[in-house]
Amino acid sequence: MTVARTVTIPLTLPVTVEGSDHHQLIMRRSRVRDRLLVDRLGGSDAEKEVRLFANLCEVAPEVIEDLDEADYEALQRAYLGFRKVHSKTSEPPA
């Protein structure tokens, strides 16, 4: 089984931050070190998630903060999708 390492999320409402237009975001799979880095920075759970997504998409946190809610939810689904793929392959057979 091939596991995707990245996913492209097209934005329904593009974001412009510091003169750069973002029409899509490319999210890579998360690693434990990504979670540890975000936890070390502190803040609320929502702030940690924004920083995690910014790191995984290799953009400034302001890009994630400026997303439309529907586009942010697409990022959340993409992130959870990575985790579901992994958990399906590690479940014992029924």
Side-chain angles (χ1 to χ4, degrees), residues 7-49:
V7 65
T8 300
I9 302 104
L11 302 179
T12 55
L13 292 171
V15 173
T16 301
V17 173
E18 295 183 12
S20 293
D21 294 330
H22 300 274
H23 296 272
Q24 66 181 17
L25 294 172
I26 299 172
M27 179 182 278
R28 67 172 173 79
R29 295 181 67 83
S30 181
R31 296 177 182 239
V32 173
R33 71 181 58 123
D34 296 309
R35 175 76 55 193
L36 293 172
L37 175 66
V38 168
D39 283 345
R40 281 187 212 119
L41 297 174
S44 70
D45 288 344
E47 291 167 324
K48 288 178 183 179
E49 186 174 83

Side-chain angles (χ1 to χ4, degrees), residues 2 5 7 19 39 43-44 47 51-53 64 67 70 81 87 89 92:
T2 302
R5 295 187 182 272
V7 65
D39 283 345
S44 70
E47 291 167 324
R51 285 196 302 267
L52 176 63
F53 289 172
I64 306 300
L67 291 177
S87 66
T89 62

Side-chain angles (χ1 to χ4, degrees), residues 18-19 40 43 48 50-51 65 69 71 73 85:
E18 295 183 12
R40 281 187 212 119
K48 288 178 183 179
V50 165
R51 285 196 302 267
E65 291 169 355
E69 282 285 331
D71 288 330
E73 288 172 7
V85 167

Side-chain angles (χ1 to χ4, degrees), residues 65-84:
E65 291 169 355
D66 283 349
L67 291 177
D68 179 79
E69 282 285 331
D71 288 330
Y72 187 77
E73 288 172 7
L75 280 182
Q76 291 174 316
R77 284 192 302 274
Y79 176 75
L80 292 175
F82 284 135
R83 296 178 64 141
K84 287 179 185 175

